[in-house]
Amino acid sequence: MKTKLALIGGALLLSTSAYAADLPMEAAPAVVAVPSFSWTGGYIGAQVGYAWGDANFRAAGGSLSAKPKGWMLGGYAGYNIQLDNSPLVLGIETDFNWADIDRTRGAFGATAKTQTDWTGATRARVGFAVDRVLFYAAGGVAYADREVKVRAGRLGAKDNKTAVGWTIGGGVESAVTDNVVVRAEYRYTDLGKDTFRLAGVPVRSKYDEHPRDGGRRL
């Protein structure tokens, strides 16, 4: 676009000079190219999402599975760099979310509940920009609160861990204005295996999650 504007400006200047050779000379106005939108810079934002997952438990030779699900609400911050004269965008981002993700299972007069109260992640991002629209993929380390509770009559036990794993996903962002961007994203998170101790009994558990969220940043 800048090259085309410069050529048109040059042609107009030459034509005017040849046609009006006997008129007083005046300086031609400078042609200013409007800069295109850039994704370079820091940002903060808020997001809301829905998550569902698979939790598996093993203890004393038995096993139990559950599918927790629920809402998340939080914020994120990051920094992007769009390479010069390129649609390639590189960045890093971290987020933290309050969560209400749980599931309760009952059997033989007892109940077991798995619960997540917060989640977070720090990820590297790589994207492809089409002017004000950015398609991106992201991956990195994930962390979350995990709590397991069991109850049988008046007896109960619980334990919680800070689980650490990995996450990968992708999404699309759209710049509504120069300073406001909206986005939608899907990611897969594997929080690995942890051992919980419930009334002295070790319970081995694995958990993976599929959160989807939409956000808005400034």
Side-chain angles (χ1 to χ4, degrees), residues 84-123:
D84 292 340
N85 301 315
S86 170
L88 186 63
V89 178
L90 304 177
I92 188 168
E93 180 179 296
T94 188
D95 67 75
F96 183 88
N97 307 281
W98 289 271
D100 184 18
I101 305 169
D102 57 49
R103 181 66 187 270
T104 300
R105 295 288 305 272
F108 306 108
T111 61
K113 182 178 183 180
T114 176
Q115 179 176 327
T116 296
D117 293 326
W118 59 263
T119 70
T122 299
R123 305 176 297 159

PDB file of all heavy atoms in Angstrom, residues 84-123:
ATOM      1  N   ASP A  84       8.499  -7.447  11.664  1.00  0.00           N
ATOM      2  CA  ASP A  84       8.410  -6.386  10.667  1.00  0.00           C
ATOM      3  C   ASP A  84       8.005  -6.937   9.305  1.00  0.00           C
ATOM      4  O   ASP A  84       8.577  -7.918   8.822  1.00  0.00           O
ATOM      5  CB  ASP A  84       9.749  -5.656  10.532  1.00  0.00           C
ATOM      6  CG  ASP A  84      10.105  -4.859  11.785  1.00  0.00           C
ATOM      7  OD1 ASP A  84       9.180  -4.568  12.570  1.00  0.00           O
ATOM      8  OD2 ASP A  84      11.294  -4.534  11.956  1.00  0.00           O
ATOM      9  N   ASN A  85       6.995  -6.270   8.705  1.00  0.00           N
ATOM     10  CA  ASN A  85       6.521  -6.635   7.364  1.00  0.00           C
ATOM     11  C   ASN A  85       6.171  -8.122   7.260  1.00  0.00           C
ATOM     12  O   ASN A  85       6.407  -8.770   6.242  1.00  0.00           O
ATOM     13  CB  ASN A  85       7.572  -6.287   6.309  1.00  0.00           C
ATOM     14  CG  ASN A  85       7.914  -4.814   6.311  1.00  0.00           C
ATOM     15  OD1 ASN A  85       7.020  -3.963   6.372  1.00  0.00           O
ATOM     16  ND2 ASN A  85       9.198  -4.500   6.241  1.00  0.00           N
ATOM     17  N   SER A  86       5.629  -8.666   8.335  1.00  0.00           N
ATOM     18  CA  SER A  86       5.301 -10.087   8.368  1.00  0.00           C
ATOM     19  C   SER A  86       3.986 -10.296   9.119  1.00  0.00           C
ATOM     20  O   SER A  86       3.684  -9.548  10.058  1.00  0.00           O
ATOM     21  CB  SER A  86       6.415 -10.870   9.057  1.00  0.00           C
ATOM     22  OG  SER A  86       6.034 -12.215   9.302  1.00  0.00           O
ATOM     23  N   PRO A  87       3.205 -11.309   8.739  1.00  0.00           N
ATOM     24  CA  PRO A  87       1.994 -11.634   9.502  1.00  0.00           C
ATOM     25  C   PRO A  87       2.272 -12.472  10.741  1.00  0.00           C
ATOM     26  O   PRO A  87       1.368 -12.768  11.507  1.00  0.00           O
ATOM     27  CB  PRO A  87       1.161 -12.431   8.493  1.00  0.00           C
ATOM     28  CG  PRO A  87       2.182 -13.109   7.630  1.00  0.00           C
ATOM     29  CD  PRO A  87       3.318 -12.115   7.506  1.00  0.00           C
ATOM     30  N   LEU A  88       3.539 -12.850  10.980  1.00  0.00           N
ATOM     31  CA  LEU A  88       3.888 -13.720  12.096  1.00  0.00           C
ATOM     32  C   LEU A  88       3.904 -12.929  13.401  1.00  0.00           C
ATOM     33  O   LEU A  88       4.554 -11.883  13.509  1.00  0.00           O
ATOM     34  CB  LEU A  88       5.241 -14.365  11.862  1.00  0.00           C
ATOM     35  CG  LEU A  88       5.683 -15.419  12.882  1.00  0.00           C
ATOM     36  CD1 LEU A  88       4.746 -16.609  12.861  1.00  0.00           C
ATOM     37  CD2 LEU A  88       7.119 -15.871  12.596  1.00  0.00           C
ATOM     38  N   VAL A  89       3.195 -13.458  14.404  1.00  0.00           N
ATOM     39  CA  VAL A  89       3.112 -12.825  15.720  1.00  0.00           C
ATOM     40  C   VAL A  89       3.581 -13.831  16.768  1.00  0.00           C
ATOM     41  O   VAL A  89       3.092 -14.958  16.820  1.00  0.00           O
ATOM     42  CB  VAL A  89       1.675 -12.375  16.035  1.00  0.00           C
ATOM     43  CG1 VAL A  89       1.592 -11.753  17.429  1.00  0.00           C
ATOM     44  CG2 VAL A  89       1.185 -11.377  14.991  1.00  0.00           C
ATOM     45  N   LEU A  90       4.523 -13.411  17.610  1.00  0.00           N
ATOM     46  CA  LEU A  90       5.026 -14.239  18.699  1.00  0.00           C
ATOM     47  C   LEU A  90       4.675 -13.581  20.029  1.00  0.00           C
ATOM     48  O   LEU A  90       4.670 -12.347  20.133  1.00  0.00           O
ATOM     49  CB  LEU A  90       6.544 -14.407  18.593  1.00  0.00           C
ATOM     50  CG  LEU A  90       7.083 -14.971  17.283  1.00  0.00           C
ATOM     51  CD1 LEU A  90       8.603 -15.009  17.310  1.00  0.00           C
ATOM     52  CD2 LEU A  90       6.516 -16.353  17.001  1.00  0.00           C
ATOM     53  N   GLY A  91       4.393 -14.383  21.050  1.00  0.00           N
ATOM     54  CA  GLY A  91       4.026 -13.786  22.321  1.00  0.00           C
ATOM     55  C   GLY A  91       4.108 -14.743  23.476  1.00  0.00           C
ATOM     56  O   GLY A  91       4.389 -15.943  23.312  1.00  0.00           O
ATOM     57  N   ILE A  92       3.884 -14.201  24.662  1.00  0.00           N
ATOM     58  CA  ILE A  92       3.814 -14.986  25.889  1.00  0.00           C
ATOM     59  C   ILE A  92       2.655 -14.453  26.722  1.00  0.00           C
ATOM     60  O   ILE A  92       2.365 -13.245  26.696  1.00  0.00           O
ATOM     61  CB  ILE A  92       5.150 -14.926  26.672  1.00  0.00           C
ATOM     62  CG1 ILE A  92       5.117 -15.908  27.841  1.00  0.00           C
ATOM     63  CG2 ILE A  92       5.466 -13.499  27.125  1.00  0.00           C
ATOM     64  CD1 ILE A  92       6.466 -16.120  28.487  1.00  0.00           C
ATOM     65  N   GLU A  93       1.978 -15.372  27.427  1.00  0.00           N
ATOM     66  CA  GLU A  93       0.775 -14.974  28.165  1.00  0.00           C
ATOM     67  C   GLU A  93       0.624 -15.825  29.420  1.00  0.00           C
ATOM     68  O   GLU A  93       0.992 -17.004  29.431  1.00  0.00           O
ATOM     69  CB  GLU A  93      -0.459 -15.146  27.270  1.00  0.00           C
ATOM     70  CG  GLU A  93      -1.769 -14.770  27.933  1.00  0.00           C
ATOM     71  CD  GLU A  93      -2.948 -14.947  26.993  1.00  0.00           C
ATOM     72  OE1 GLU A  93      -2.998 -14.236  25.966  1.00  0.00           O
ATOM     73  OE2 GLU A  93      -3.794 -15.816  27.251  1.00  0.00           O
ATOM     74  N   THR A  94       0.085 -15.228  30.480  1.00  0.00           N
ATOM     75  CA  THR A  94      -0.246 -15.960  31.691  1.00  0.00           C
ATOM     76  C   THR A  94      -1.660 -15.606  32.120  1.00  0.00           C
ATOM     77  O   THR A  94      -2.130 -14.489  31.851  1.00  0.00           O
ATOM     78  CB  THR A  94       0.757 -15.643  32.824  1.00  0.00           C
ATOM     79  OG1 THR A  94       0.520 -16.505  33.933  1.00  0.00           O
ATOM     80  CG2 THR A  94       0.646 -14.199  33.272  1.00  0.00           C
ATOM     81  N   ASP A  95      -2.361 -16.561  32.729  1.00  0.00           N
ATOM     82  CA  ASP A  95      -3.733 -16.303  33.166  1.00  0.00           C
ATOM     83  C   ASP A  95      -4.007 -16.986  34.500  1.00  0.00           C
ATOM     84  O   ASP A  95      -3.308 -17.922  34.900  1.00  0.00           O
ATOM     85  CB  ASP A  95      -4.751 -16.762  32.114  1.00  0.00           C
ATOM     86  CG  ASP A  95      -4.786 -18.265  31.938  1.00  0.00           C
ATOM     87  OD1 ASP A  95      -5.352 -18.961  32.823  1.00  0.00           O
ATOM     88  OD2 ASP A  95      -4.275 -18.775  30.928  1.00  0.00           O
ATOM     89  N   PHE A  96      -5.044 -16.498  35.184  1.00  0.00           N
ATOM     90  CA  PHE A  96      -5.489 -17.078  36.441  1.00  0.00           C
ATOM     91  C   PHE A  96      -7.007 -16.995  36.481  1.00  0.00           C
ATOM     92  O   PHE A  96      -7.585 -15.961  36.128  1.00  0.00           O
ATOM     93  CB  PHE A  96      -4.900 -16.334  37.644  1.00  0.00           C
ATOM     94  CG  PHE A  96      -5.271 -16.951  38.962  1.00  0.00           C
ATOM     95  CD1 PHE A  96      -4.503 -17.964  39.509  1.00  0.00           C
ATOM     96  CD2 PHE A  96      -6.404 -16.537  39.642  1.00  0.00           C
ATOM     97  CE1 PHE A  96      -4.846 -18.551  40.717  1.00  0.00           C
ATOM     98  CE2 PHE A  96      -6.759 -17.115  40.853  1.00  0.00           C
ATOM     99  CZ  PHE A  96      -5.979 -18.123  41.393  1.00  0.00           C
ATOM    100  N   ASN A  97      -7.669 -18.097  36.910  1.00  0.00           N
ATOM    101  CA  ASN A  97      -9.124 -18.160  36.889  1.00  0.00           C
ATOM    102  C   ASN A  97      -9.667 -18.752  38.188  1.00  0.00           C
ATOM    103  O   ASN A  97      -9.149 -19.750  38.683  1.00  0.00           O
ATOM    104  CB  ASN A  97      -9.605 -19.050  35.732  1.00  0.00           C
ATOM    105  CG  ASN A  97      -9.018 -18.625  34.406  1.00  0.00           C
ATOM    106  OD1 ASN A  97      -9.464 -17.669  33.789  1.00  0.00           O
ATOM    107  ND2 ASN A  97      -7.997 -19.350  33.953  1.00  0.00           N
ATOM    108  N   TRP A  98     -10.705 -18.125  38.712  1.00  0.00           N
ATOM    109  CA  TRP A  98     -11.489 -18.747  39.763  1.00  0.00           C
ATOM    110  C   TRP A  98     -12.433 -19.734  39.095  1.00  0.00           C
ATOM    111  O   TRP A  98     -13.023 -19.437  38.043  1.00  0.00           O
ATOM    112  CB  TRP A  98     -12.269 -17.692  40.539  1.00  0.00           C
ATOM    113  CG  TRP A  98     -11.382 -16.842  41.385  1.00  0.00           C
ATOM    114  CD1 TRP A  98     -10.992 -17.084  42.677  1.00  0.00           C
ATOM    115  CD2 TRP A  98     -10.748 -15.623  41.002  1.00  0.00           C
ATOM    116  NE1 TRP A  98     -10.155 -16.085  43.120  1.00  0.00           N
ATOM    117  CE2 TRP A  98      -9.989 -15.175  42.116  1.00  0.00           C
ATOM    118  CE3 TRP A  98     -10.745 -14.864  39.831  1.00  0.00           C
ATOM    119  CZ2 TRP A  98      -9.247 -14.007  42.088  1.00  0.00           C
ATOM    120  CZ3 TRP A  98     -10.001 -13.702  39.789  1.00  0.00           C
ATOM    121  CH2 TRP A  98      -9.268 -13.284  40.912  1.00  0.00           C
ATOM    122  N   ALA A  99     -12.590 -20.915  39.701  1.00  0.00           N
ATOM    123  CA  ALA A  99     -13.322 -21.979  39.027  1.00  0.00           C
ATOM    124  C   ALA A  99     -14.354 -22.622  39.960  1.00  0.00           C
ATOM    125  O   ALA A  99     -14.196 -22.622  41.180  1.00  0.00           O
ATOM    126  CB  ALA A  99     -12.358 -23.048  38.517  1.00  0.00           C
ATOM    127  N   ASP A 100     -15.377 -23.164  39.350  1.00  0.00           N
ATOM    128  CA  ASP A 100     -16.378 -23.975  40.045  1.00  0.00           C
ATOM    129  C   ASP A 100     -16.579 -25.235  39.217  1.00  0.00           C
ATOM    130  O   ASP A 100     -17.597 -25.419  38.546  1.00  0.00           O
ATOM    131  CB  ASP A 100     -17.684 -23.194  40.202  1.00  0.00           C
ATOM    132  CG  ASP A 100     -18.724 -23.964  41.010  1.00  0.00           C
ATOM    133  OD1 ASP A 100     -18.331 -24.910  41.709  1.00  0.00           O
ATOM    134  OD2 ASP A 100     -19.923 -23.622  40.920  1.00  0.00           O
ATOM    135  N   ILE A 101     -15.559 -26.096  39.260  1.00  0.00           N
ATOM    136  CA  ILE A 101     -15.534 -27.311  38.446  1.00  0.00           C
ATOM    137  C   ILE A 101     -15.564 -28.503  39.401  1.00  0.00           C
ATOM    138  O   ILE A 101     -14.633 -28.690  40.188  1.00  0.00           O
ATOM    139  CB  ILE A 101     -14.272 -27.364  37.569  1.00  0.00           C
ATOM    140  CG1 ILE A 101     -14.167 -26.104  36.708  1.00  0.00           C
ATOM    141  CG2 ILE A 101     -14.268 -28.616  36.702  1.00  0.00           C
ATOM    142  CD1 ILE A 101     -12.829 -25.970  36.012  1.00  0.00           C
ATOM    143  N   ASP A 102     -16.629 -29.301  39.379  1.00  0.00           N
ATOM    144  CA  ASP A 102     -16.713 -30.410  40.327  1.00  0.00           C
ATOM    145  C   ASP A 102     -17.636 -31.506  39.810  1.00  0.00           C
ATOM    146  O   ASP A 102     -18.349 -31.335  38.830  1.00  0.00           O
ATOM    147  CB  ASP A 102     -17.188 -29.927  41.698  1.00  0.00           C
ATOM    148  CG  ASP A 102     -18.530 -29.215  41.636  1.00  0.00           C
ATOM    149  OD1 ASP A 102     -19.477 -29.751  41.024  1.00  0.00           O
ATOM    150  OD2 ASP A 102     -18.643 -28.108  42.195  1.00  0.00           O
ATOM    151  N   ARG A 103     -17.614 -32.618  40.534  1.00  0.00           N
ATOM    152  CA  ARG A 103     -18.515 -33.744  40.257  1.00  0.00           C
ATOM    153  C   ARG A 103     -18.550 -34.626  41.492  1.00  0.00           C
ATOM    154  O   ARG A 103     -17.518 -34.915  42.104  1.00  0.00           O
ATOM    155  CB  ARG A 103     -18.034 -34.565  39.055  1.00  0.00           C
ATOM    156  CG  ARG A 103     -18.933 -35.735  38.697  1.00  0.00           C
ATOM    157  CD  ARG A 103     -20.308 -35.268  38.209  1.00  0.00           C
ATOM    158  NE  ARG A 103     -21.233 -36.358  38.013  1.00  0.00           N
ATOM    159  CZ  ARG A 103     -21.367 -37.032  36.859  1.00  0.00           C
ATOM    160  NH1 ARG A 103     -20.609 -36.722  35.817  1.00  0.00           N
ATOM    161  NH2 ARG A 103     -22.246 -37.995  36.758  1.00  0.00           N
ATOM    162  N   THR A 104     -19.756 -35.068  41.878  1.00  0.00           N
ATOM    163  CA  THR A 104     -19.936 -35.957  43.021  1.00  0.00           C
ATOM    164  C   THR A 104     -20.476 -37.289  42.541  1.00  0.00           C
ATOM    165  O   THR A 104     -21.431 -37.343  41.763  1.00  0.00           O
ATOM    166  CB  THR A 104     -20.900 -35.340  44.051  1.00  0.00           C
ATOM    167  OG1 THR A 104     -20.368 -34.085  44.507  1.00  0.00           O
ATOM    168  CG2 THR A 104     -21.081 -36.261  45.243  1.00  0.00           C
ATOM    169  N   ARG A 105     -19.864 -38.376  43.010  1.00  0.00           N
ATOM    170  CA  ARG A 105     -20.306 -39.730  42.694  1.00  0.00           C
ATOM    171  C   ARG A 105     -20.671 -40.434  43.985  1.00  0.00           C
ATOM    172  O   ARG A 105     -20.016 -40.257  45.015  1.00  0.00           O
ATOM    173  CB  ARG A 105     -19.200 -40.508  41.975  1.00  0.00           C
ATOM    174  CG  ARG A 105     -18.819 -39.982  40.603  1.00  0.00           C
ATOM    175  CD  ARG A 105     -19.894 -40.255  39.578  1.00  0.00           C
ATOM    176  NE  ARG A 105     -20.241 -41.654  39.517  1.00  0.00           N
ATOM    177  CZ  ARG A 105     -19.611 -42.555  38.745  1.00  0.00           C
ATOM    178  NH1 ARG A 105     -18.582 -42.173  37.999  1.00  0.00           N
ATOM    179  NH2 ARG A 105     -19.999 -43.816  38.735  1.00  0.00           N
ATOM    180  N   GLY A 106     -21.732 -41.265  43.939  1.00  0.00           N
ATOM    181  CA  GLY A 106     -22.158 -42.006  45.115  1.00  0.00           C
ATOM    182  C   GLY A 106     -22.248 -43.492  44.847  1.00  0.00           C
ATOM    183  O   GLY A 106     -22.623 -43.914  43.746  1.00  0.00           O
ATOM    184  N   ALA A 107     -21.879 -44.299  45.860  1.00  0.00           N
ATOM    185  CA  ALA A 107     -21.971 -45.762  45.733  1.00  0.00           C
ATOM    186  C   ALA A 107     -21.882 -46.380  47.119  1.00  0.00           C
ATOM    187  O   ALA A 107     -21.064 -45.953  47.947  1.00  0.00           O
ATOM    188  CB  ALA A 107     -20.850 -46.302  44.844  1.00  0.00           C
ATOM    189  N   PHE A 108     -22.737 -47.367  47.388  1.00  0.00           N
ATOM    190  CA  PHE A 108     -22.722 -48.146  48.625  1.00  0.00           C
ATOM    191  C   PHE A 108     -22.808 -47.249  49.866  1.00  0.00           C
ATOM    192  O   PHE A 108     -22.105 -47.448  50.858  1.00  0.00           O
ATOM    193  CB  PHE A 108     -21.465 -49.018  48.693  1.00  0.00           C
ATOM    194  CG  PHE A 108     -21.267 -49.889  47.493  1.00  0.00           C
ATOM    195  CD1 PHE A 108     -20.263 -49.609  46.568  1.00  0.00           C
ATOM    196  CD2 PHE A 108     -22.103 -50.973  47.263  1.00  0.00           C
ATOM    197  CE1 PHE A 108     -20.085 -50.407  45.458  1.00  0.00           C
ATOM    198  CE2 PHE A 108     -21.916 -51.784  46.153  1.00  0.00           C
ATOM    199  CZ  PHE A 108     -20.918 -51.497  45.250  1.00  0.00           C
ATOM    200  N   GLY A 109     -23.653 -46.235  49.806  1.00  0.00           N
ATOM    201  CA  GLY A 109     -23.863 -45.360  50.945  1.00  0.00           C
ATOM    202  C   GLY A 109     -22.782 -44.337  51.184  1.00  0.00           C
ATOM    203  O   GLY A 109     -22.816 -43.617  52.181  1.00  0.00           O
ATOM    204  N   ALA A 110     -21.827 -44.222  50.283  1.00  0.00           N
ATOM    205  CA  ALA A 110     -20.742 -43.248  50.412  1.00  0.00           C
ATOM    206  C   ALA A 110     -20.737 -42.327  49.191  1.00  0.00           C
ATOM    207  O   ALA A 110     -21.257 -42.679  48.124  1.00  0.00           O
ATOM    208  CB  ALA A 110     -19.403 -43.951  50.545  1.00  0.00           C
ATOM    209  N   THR A 111     -20.165 -41.142  49.350  1.00  0.00           N
ATOM    210  CA  THR A 111     -20.036 -40.203  48.240  1.00  0.00           C
ATOM    211  C   THR A 111     -18.578 -39.779  48.100  1.00  0.00           C
ATOM    212  O   THR A 111     -17.836 -39.716  49.086  1.00  0.00           O
ATOM    213  CB  THR A 111     -20.905 -38.949  48.446  1.00  0.00           C
ATOM    214  OG1 THR A 111     -20.484 -38.261  49.632  1.00  0.00           O
ATOM    215  CG2 THR A 111     -22.366 -39.308  48.536  1.00  0.00           C
ATOM    216  N   ALA A 112     -18.190 -39.505  46.877  1.00  0.00           N
ATOM    217  CA  ALA A 112     -16.849 -39.003  46.581  1.00  0.00           C
ATOM    218  C   ALA A 112     -16.999 -37.795  45.668  1.00  0.00           C
ATOM    219  O   ALA A 112     -17.749 -37.832  44.691  1.00  0.00           O
ATOM    220  CB  ALA A 112     -16.000 -40.076  45.915  1.00  0.00           C
ATOM    221  N   LYS A 113     -16.279 -36.717  45.983  1.00  0.00           N
ATOM    222  CA  LYS A 113     -16.368 -35.481  45.214  1.00  0.00           C
ATOM    223  C   LYS A 113     -14.980 -35.023  44.797  1.00  0.00           C
ATOM    224  O   LYS A 113     -14.049 -34.991  45.603  1.00  0.00           O
ATOM    225  CB  LYS A 113     -17.036 -34.385  46.046  1.00  0.00           C
ATOM    226  CG  LYS A 113     -17.208 -33.058  45.306  1.00  0.00           C
ATOM    227  CD  LYS A 113     -17.921 -32.031  46.176  1.00  0.00           C
ATOM    228  CE  LYS A 113     -18.150 -30.732  45.414  1.00  0.00           C
ATOM    229  NZ  LYS A 113     -18.849 -29.720  46.247  1.00  0.00           N
ATOM    230  N   THR A 114     -14.829 -34.669  43.528  1.00  0.00           N
ATOM    231  CA  THR A 114     -13.609 -34.048  43.033  1.00  0.00           C
ATOM    232  C   THR A 114     -13.936 -32.610  42.666  1.00  0.00           C
ATOM    233  O   THR A 114     -14.977 -32.335  42.063  1.00  0.00           O
ATOM    234  CB  THR A 114     -13.032 -34.810  41.829  1.00  0.00           C
ATOM    235  OG1 THR A 114     -11.886 -34.110  41.326  1.00  0.00           O
ATOM    236  CG2 THR A 114     -14.039 -34.971  40.718  1.00  0.00           C
ATOM    237  N   GLN A 115     -13.046 -31.685  43.026  1.00  0.00           N
ATOM    238  CA  GLN A 115     -13.367 -30.269  42.913  1.00  0.00           C
ATOM    239  C   GLN A 115     -12.121 -29.464  42.536  1.00  0.00           C
ATOM    240  O   GLN A 115     -11.019 -29.741  43.008  1.00  0.00           O
ATOM    241  CB  GLN A 115     -13.930 -29.764  44.242  1.00  0.00           C
ATOM    242  CG  GLN A 115     -14.286 -28.294  44.287  1.00  0.00           C
ATOM    243  CD  GLN A 115     -14.932 -27.929  45.615  1.00  0.00           C
ATOM    244  OE1 GLN A 115     -15.639 -28.733  46.232  1.00  0.00           O
ATOM    245  NE2 GLN A 115     -14.692 -26.706  46.061  1.00  0.00           N
ATOM    246  N   THR A 116     -12.305 -28.439  41.689  1.00  0.00           N
ATOM    247  CA  THR A 116     -11.246 -27.498  41.328  1.00  0.00           C
ATOM    248  C   THR A 116     -11.752 -26.089  41.579  1.00  0.00           C
ATOM    249  O   THR A 116     -12.789 -25.698  41.031  1.00  0.00           O
ATOM    250  CB  THR A 116     -10.828 -27.657  39.854  1.00  0.00           C
ATOM    251  OG1 THR A 116     -10.263 -28.962  39.671  1.00  0.00           O
ATOM    252  CG2 THR A 116      -9.805 -26.615  39.455  1.00  0.00           C
ATOM    253  N   ASP A 117     -11.017 -25.320  42.394  1.00  0.00           N
ATOM    254  CA  ASP A 117     -11.433 -23.967  42.751  1.00  0.00           C
ATOM    255  C   ASP A 117     -10.683 -22.883  41.989  1.00  0.00           C
ATOM    256  O   ASP A 117     -11.152 -21.740  41.930  1.00  0.00           O
ATOM    257  CB  ASP A 117     -11.238 -23.736  44.255  1.00  0.00           C
ATOM    258  CG  ASP A 117     -12.174 -24.592  45.097  1.00  0.00           C
ATOM    259  OD1 ASP A 117     -13.312 -24.840  44.654  1.00  0.00           O
ATOM    260  OD2 ASP A 117     -11.769 -25.030  46.187  1.00  0.00           O
ATOM    261  N   TRP A 118      -9.525 -23.209  41.434  1.00  0.00           N
ATOM    262  CA  TRP A 118      -8.797 -22.233  40.623  1.00  0.00           C
ATOM    263  C   TRP A 118      -7.901 -22.955  39.625  1.00  0.00           C
ATOM    264  O   TRP A 118      -7.490 -24.094  39.841  1.00  0.00           O
ATOM    265  CB  TRP A 118      -7.984 -21.261  41.483  1.00  0.00           C
ATOM    266  CG  TRP A 118      -6.946 -21.883  42.376  1.00  0.00           C
ATOM    267  CD1 TRP A 118      -7.073 -22.192  43.689  1.00  0.00           C
ATOM    268  CD2 TRP A 118      -5.613 -22.281  42.008  1.00  0.00           C
ATOM    269  NE1 TRP A 118      -5.911 -22.751  44.173  1.00  0.00           N
ATOM    270  CE2 TRP A 118      -4.997 -22.804  43.172  1.00  0.00           C
ATOM    271  CE3 TRP A 118      -4.881 -22.219  40.829  1.00  0.00           C
ATOM    272  CZ2 TRP A 118      -3.694 -23.287  43.168  1.00  0.00           C
ATOM    273  CZ3 TRP A 118      -3.576 -22.704  40.813  1.00  0.00           C
ATOM    274  CH2 TRP A 118      -2.997 -23.219  41.978  1.00  0.00           C
ATOM    275  N   THR A 119      -7.612 -22.276  38.526  1.00  0.00           N
ATOM    276  CA  THR A 119      -6.725 -22.798  37.491  1.00  0.00           C
ATOM    277  C   THR A 119      -5.862 -21.662  36.955  1.00  0.00           C
ATOM    278  O   THR A 119      -6.197 -20.486  37.086  1.00  0.00           O
ATOM    279  CB  THR A 119      -7.506 -23.416  36.309  1.00  0.00           C
ATOM    280  OG1 THR A 119      -8.158 -22.359  35.580  1.00  0.00           O
ATOM    281  CG2 THR A 119      -8.537 -24.418  36.779  1.00  0.00           C
ATOM    282  N   GLY A 120      -4.777 -22.023  36.316  1.00  0.00           N
ATOM    283  CA  GLY A 120      -3.911 -21.020  35.702  1.00  0.00           C
ATOM    284  C   GLY A 120      -2.989 -21.655  34.686  1.00  0.00           C
ATOM    285  O   GLY A 120      -2.856 -22.884  34.621  1.00  0.00           O
ATOM    286  N   ALA A 121      -2.324 -20.813  33.882  1.00  0.00           N
ATOM    287  CA  ALA A 121      -1.393 -21.318  32.875  1.00  0.00           C
ATOM    288  C   ALA A 121      -0.460 -20.194  32.436  1.00  0.00           C
ATOM    289  O   ALA A 121      -0.820 -19.010  32.483  1.00  0.00           O
ATOM    290  CB  ALA A 121      -2.140 -21.876  31.669  1.00  0.00           C
ATOM    291  N   THR A 122       0.738 -20.578  32.012  1.00  0.00           N
ATOM    292  CA  THR A 122       1.682 -19.659  31.378  1.00  0.00           C
ATOM    293  C   THR A 122       2.090 -20.295  30.062  1.00  0.00           C
ATOM    294  O   THR A 122       2.608 -21.417  30.052  1.00  0.00           O
ATOM    295  CB  THR A 122       2.905 -19.413  32.271  1.00  0.00           C
ATOM    296  OG1 THR A 122       2.477 -18.816  33.504  1.00  0.00           O
ATOM    297  CG2 THR A 122       3.886 -18.467  31.579  1.00  0.00           C
ATOM    298  N   ARG A 123       1.855 -19.567  28.954  1.00  0.00           N
ATOM    299  CA  ARG A 123       1.989 -20.194  27.635  1.00  0.00           C
ATOM    300  C   ARG A 123       2.747 -19.302  26.665  1.00  0.00           C
ATOM    301  O   ARG A 123       2.672 -18.077  26.736  1.00  0.00           O
ATOM    302  CB  ARG A 123       0.598 -20.478  27.049  1.00  0.00           C
ATOM    303  CG  ARG A 123      -0.299 -21.297  27.948  1.00  0.00           C
ATOM    304  CD  ARG A 123      -1.679 -21.459  27.339  1.00  0.00           C
ATOM    305  NE  ARG A 123      -2.358 -20.181  27.183  1.00  0.00           N
ATOM    306  CZ  ARG A 123      -3.362 -19.955  26.344  1.00  0.00           C
ATOM    307  NH1 ARG A 123      -3.790 -20.936  25.558  1.00  0.00           N
ATOM    308  NH2 ARG A 123      -3.939 -18.773  26.277  1.00  0.00           N
TER     309      ARG A 123
END
